[in-house]
Amino acid sequence: MKFKYLAIAAAFAAPLALAIPAQADGGIFVGVEGQSIAVSGYDTVSYFQGNGVPVKGDARFSVKHDGAEWLFSSQANANKFKENPDAYAPQYGGHCAWAMSRGSLAPGDPTLYKVEGGKLYLNFNRDVQQTWLGDIAGFIAKSDPAWSKIPEGKRFGD
């Protein structure tokens, strides 16, 4: 059991040493240095529709919010986001939900996600996601207060 957690920690930490998270002015992790496209260009409304499979957005349907550009697959989805961005934005500014339960910041991968309780959570990699899925409620209970303790200017590796 101890080895499993060491393997997860190693898988989690190694890429972080190379990752340079970017930030948008308003606190959304954008993931690519020098760009301001939120959630790697995925349409966050699509996570909550139909079969819940996210789709890439299109620059024709973009919305500026929290200092980032959010892309959507349709004008209807862009309008839904504009009406209530908090309903569709990922938790913890798009950072990994499991890492946040540890009080740490790590990039969230928009293809490794779970909609839980009407909220979108992203994870860093598949191993981390498998751990997170094992106790979602417990990790959320730790992540929410941890996120609130991180000062706004320090949420993105300032």
Side-chain angles (χ1 to χ4, degrees), residues 5 30 32 48 70-71 73 80 87 102 106 125 127 131-132 139:
Y5 289 112
V30 294
V32 180
F48 299 89
W70 301 71
L71 305 182
S73 58
K80 284 181 183 181
R102 304 288 188 264
N125 65 27
D127 291 334
T131 300
W132 190 77
F139 291 128

Side-chain angles (χ1 to χ4, degrees), residues 16-100:
L16 288 179
L18 300 175
I20 302 172
Q23 74 175 23
D25 293 335
I28 298 298
F29 176 76
V30 294
V32 180
E33 184 67 29
Q35 294 185 3
S36 63
I37 305 291
V39 196
S40 298
Y42 278 83
D43 176 343
T44 56
V45 174
S46 69
Y47 289 87
F48 299 89
Q49 296 176 325
N51 60 5
V53 175
V55 297
K56 283 288 217 168
D58 185 311
R60 293 178 299 160
F61 311 112
S62 70
V63 174
K64 297 276 188 194
H65 175 72
D66 273 351
E69 183 176 4
W70 301 71
L71 305 182
F72 299 92
S73 58
S74 68
Q75 188 60 54
N77 282 6
N79 291 342
K80 284 181 183 181
F81 182 83
K82 280 190 235 180
E83 290 170 13
N84 190 1
D86 290 339
Y88 299 106
Q91 299 301 292
Y92 319 123
H95 288 281
C96 175
W98 180 83
M100 186 50 51

